[in-house]
Amino acid sequence: VNMYGKCGSPDDARSVFEKMPQRNGVSWTTMIAVYAQNGHGNKALDLFGDMQLKGMTLDKVTFISILDACSSTAAIAEGKECHAMIIDNGFETDVVVGTALVNMYGKCGSLDDARHVFDKITQRDSVSWTALIAAYSQNGHGKDALELFKQMQLEGMVPDKITFISILYACATLAALEEGKESHASIIESGFETDVVVGNALVNMYG
């Protein structure tokens, strides 16, 4: 199932899944992840409902896959239901689950919820910071994104390509040339300037 999913063939993955004589939580979660990762968010959500009806145990990987599905379909109602289950299972403060929640709320345009979850993550990493920066940047709050970027650096976090792309987008929407040039200098120092996606973001920002 996982192999077919990684190869972009969810129908073959589902065929194997259906033929399994005994399915456990891992097999259900794997099939859900296959749908979520291959752009079939609604199918992932439907299968998640079936999984719960079967009484399967939900783990962190299950929730992360479902949040991915909610993000891709902007299904905030289902995302909030999933969030409630995550709280019940004690996973909300986990950095990976929390980051997935921040990303989901950001994709659904609910920045207050994204920030609320971010503030509860006990050990934030650069990925969780980047998720919140991207949420603000993508929803037209460029100044907040730039402020968060400064806080991220003060916390000693190392920005990655996604961080820089989000910051360049924020600079572009604000026409913040000085901040854009500062980011460009940091991108050169980090060795990302030759990356095609980062390069496109730089062209867009300067343009």
Side-chain angles (χ1 to χ4, degrees):
V1 172
N2 183 59
M3 181 276 291
Y4 279 124
K6 290 290 193 291
C7 292
S9 186
D11 289 342
D12 287 318
R14 184 61 184 260
S15 178
V16 173
F17 176 78
E18 292 296 341
K19 289 176 182 176
M20 294 172 70
Q22 288 186 315
R23 304 174 196 137
N24 59 16
V26 175
S27 52
W28 279 88
T29 294
T30 303
M31 189 64 234
I32 288 169
V34 166
Y35 277 137
Q37 292 163 7
N38 283 278
H40 297 277
N42 288 325
K43 288 183 178 180
L45 293 171
D46 288 342
L47 198 62
F48 181 56
D50 293 341
M51 180 182 181
Q52 292 176 85
L53 290 173
K54 294 286 184 181
M56 294 289 141
T57 301
L58 311 176
D59 62 14
K60 288 195 287 187
V61 181
T62 316
F63 288 123
I64 290 165
S65 296
I66 286 302
L67 290 171
D68 187 23
C70 292
S71 297
S72 66
T73 56
I76 192 166
E78 291 82 353
K80 283 181 176 288
E81 288 175 12
C82 185
H83 189 177
M85 286 185 272
I86 286 167
I87 292 170
D88 289 342
N89 282 273
F91 295 141
E92 188 183 30
T93 58
D94 177 86
V95 64
V96 181
V97 177
T99 300
L101 277 165
V102 171
N103 181 61
M104 182 274 293
Y105 280 125
K107 288 289 196 318
C108 293
S110 185
L111 297 179
D112 288 343
D113 286 317
R115 185 59 192 254
H116 180 71
V117 172
F118 176 80
D119 287 339
K120 285 189 172 182
I121 299 172
T122 50
Q123 291 184 311
R124 302 175 197 132
D125 58 13
S126 61
V127 180
S128 53
W129 278 92
T130 296
L132 189 60
I133 288 168
Y136 279 118
S137 180
Q138 292 163 3
N139 285 280
H141 293 259
K143 286 184 179 179
D144 292 320
L146 292 175
E147 184 59 37
L148 274 171
F149 183 53
K150 291 176 185 176
Q151 291 177 28
M152 174 185 178
Q153 292 174 304
L154 289 173
E155 293 280 338
M157 298 293 159
V158 179
D160 60 14
K161 289 192 293 185
I162 307 300
T163 320
F164 285 123
I165 290 165
S166 297
I167 287 303
L168 290 172
Y169 183 78
C171 291
T173 57
L174 293 169
L177 183 58
E178 282 306 309
E179 289 84 351
K181 285 184 173 181
E182 289 173 11
S183 294
H184 190 177
S186 298
I187 286 166
I188 293 170
E189 289 175 12
S190 302
F192 294 137
E193 190 181 30
T194 57
D195 180 89
V196 65
V197 183
V198 175
N200 288 339
L202 278 166
V203 170
N204 178 64
M205 185 275 293
Y206 281 122

